[in-house]
Amino acid sequence: VADVAKRQKLLEQWTRYAVMRSIKLEMHLRGKEWEGLFADSISGTAVTIHPSLTRVGRTSYTIQNKVTKSDSQQPLATVETVMVQLDASLSKAVPLTCSDELRNLRRDVPS
């Protein structure tokens, strides 16, 4: 977001008034395959997180994070989080303050 005031408002929306409604995790590796990925690593396995804003509603938005192994881009997991904007008392959902800016950031994610 190029406009500094709008960028600041988005940051405030995220840090002060957004809460997670739901988190959905899809693991692409399981069991021995998952364990083997990390077993030979002394300093850890580097991963890359590819975030995308995939949906913007009236009071909520969805962020999808694809997690891949950094060196090979092997898919490891997909995490989808639904965030809801609350009022100042943090007691009820309210319309997004920067919905137009968020819609401009929305991206379709390939399956």
Side-chain angles (χ1 to χ4, degrees):
V1 176
D3 183 307
V4 175
K6 289 180 181 180
R7 186 171 49 226
Q8 191 61 34
K9 200 165 190 175
L10 280 168
L11 180 60
E12 180 181 23
Q13 174 182 308
W14 169 260
T15 58
R16 296 188 67 195
Y17 303 111
V19 296
M20 286 182 237
R21 176 188 295 158
S22 66
I23 299 174
K24 182 172 78 174
L25 169 65
E26 178 186 359
M27 300 296 294
H28 300 298
L29 301 177
R30 290 189 168 79
K32 298 282 184 200
E33 194 176 19
W34 177 263
E35 292 169 11
L37 181 68
F38 298 98
D40 297 331
S41 175
I42 293 172
S43 62
T45 298
V47 298
T48 302
I49 299 174
H50 308 272
S52 297
L53 179 63
T54 58
R55 187 192 64 77
V56 178
R58 191 178 72 78
T59 62
S60 65
Y61 52 95
T62 303
I63 300 170
Q64 185 180 86
N65 294 288
K66 292 196 179 251
V67 183
T68 61
K69 191 173 176 195
S70 293
D71 61 357
S72 66
Q73 294 302 303
Q74 176 184 13
L76 303 177
T78 302
V79 181
E80 188 175 275
T81 306
V82 176
M83 303 296 295
V84 178
Q85 182 169 333
L86 299 180
D87 62 4
S89 68
L90 304 178
S91 61
K92 98 176 182 183
V94 295
L96 296 169
T97 55
C98 300
S99 58
D100 290 339
E101 289 77 12
L102 284 172
R103 281 186 183 85
N104 289 334
L105 296 172
R106 194 187 73 72
R107 300 287 177 259
D108 291 324
V109 178
S111 307

